[in-house]
Amino acid sequence: MKTDEQKREELTLKLRRAYDRFMATGRKLKASDRNLHGYVYQALEMYGMHADLSFLDVSAVTDMCGMFEGCPFDGDISGWHTGAVRTIDAMFRNSGFHEDISGWDTSSVECMDDAFNGADPGLLLNILPAWTIPSVRSCGFMFNGTWADLDEPLGGDLFRLFRDGRLAGRKDIVDGLYGQVTLGKEASL
């Protein structure tokens, strides 16, 4: 039976080879719900908090819950193909991440509880006007601890994003900004 150290060394070698292959050929390492967290944590240990994680193919991943929670990660994940992702609960909670991921396909995301609770406001300024989340069912405390930091850079009218932007008509999301909410029938603002 392999020791934890041996398993970590094997994973390090696998990721190093995958990263080198990606740099040489553009071929990515296929990730799944089962192994994505391990790949990410090991890559950050190897390459640091500004690592380019583009070498990971996340197209089959459905659960990114807690992925960067409490982590100072601020590398490149802008090219991740996220169309299959259904859960991003606490993904960026208390995270320093603020890179532009406005191009992510979030059409399948259903659960966003605590997704940006205490997150860097810079991240939200990028994604709020761009993301479309028609499938979301749960978003309790989504922006808790971040709201005050967002209001001023947006000219004191954060609700404009919900009223006029891609989240227009999603009163259920506005109601879930600070508290727990179970989404039902959409309502107009």
Side-chain angles (χ1 to χ4, degrees), residues 70-189:
C71 181
F73 171 69
D74 200 33
D76 188 8
I77 53 174
S78 62
W80 277 9
H81 295 284
T82 55
V85 175
R86 293 190 317 257
T87 303
I88 62 168
D89 291 343
M91 184 172 182
F92 297 103
R93 179 170 47 196
N94 298 320
S95 168
F97 184 81
H98 65 269
E99 297 301 316
D100 186 0
I101 53 172
S102 60
W104 276 16
D105 177 357
T106 54
S107 61
S108 297
V109 173
E110 298 173 357
C111 301
M112 301 178 77
D113 293 326
D114 283 315
F116 309 105
N117 186 338
D120 187 298
L123 169 64
L124 299 173
L125 292 172
N126 285 327
I127 65 170
L128 282 176
W131 277 14
T132 301
I133 48 174
S135 302
V136 73
R137 295 182 297 112
S138 180
C139 60
F141 300 99
M142 185 165 60
F143 302 124
N144 196 34
T146 308
W147 184 265
D149 293 329
L150 285 174
D151 201 37
E152 188 176 326
L154 294 172
D157 189 12
L158 182 59
F159 283 100
R160 173 180 48 82
L161 292 172
F162 296 96
R163 189 181 61 236
D164 305 330
R166 290 189 176 219
L167 300 178
R170 294 302 305 265
K171 183 182 182 310
D172 47 7
I173 293 175
V174 175
D175 290 345
L177 293 176
Y178 278 115
Q180 186 62 39
V181 65
T182 302
L183 304 184
K185 191 173 183 180
E186 289 185 21
S188 298
L189 289 176

Side-chain angles (χ1 to χ4, degrees), residues 14-15 18 21 27-31 39 55-58:
K14 179 178 184 174
L15 290 175
R21 182 180 60 235
R27 189 168 155 226
K28 297 182 178 191
L29 176 62
K30 190 86 166 162
Y39 286 174
F55 74 99
L56 296 173
D57 174 358
V58 300

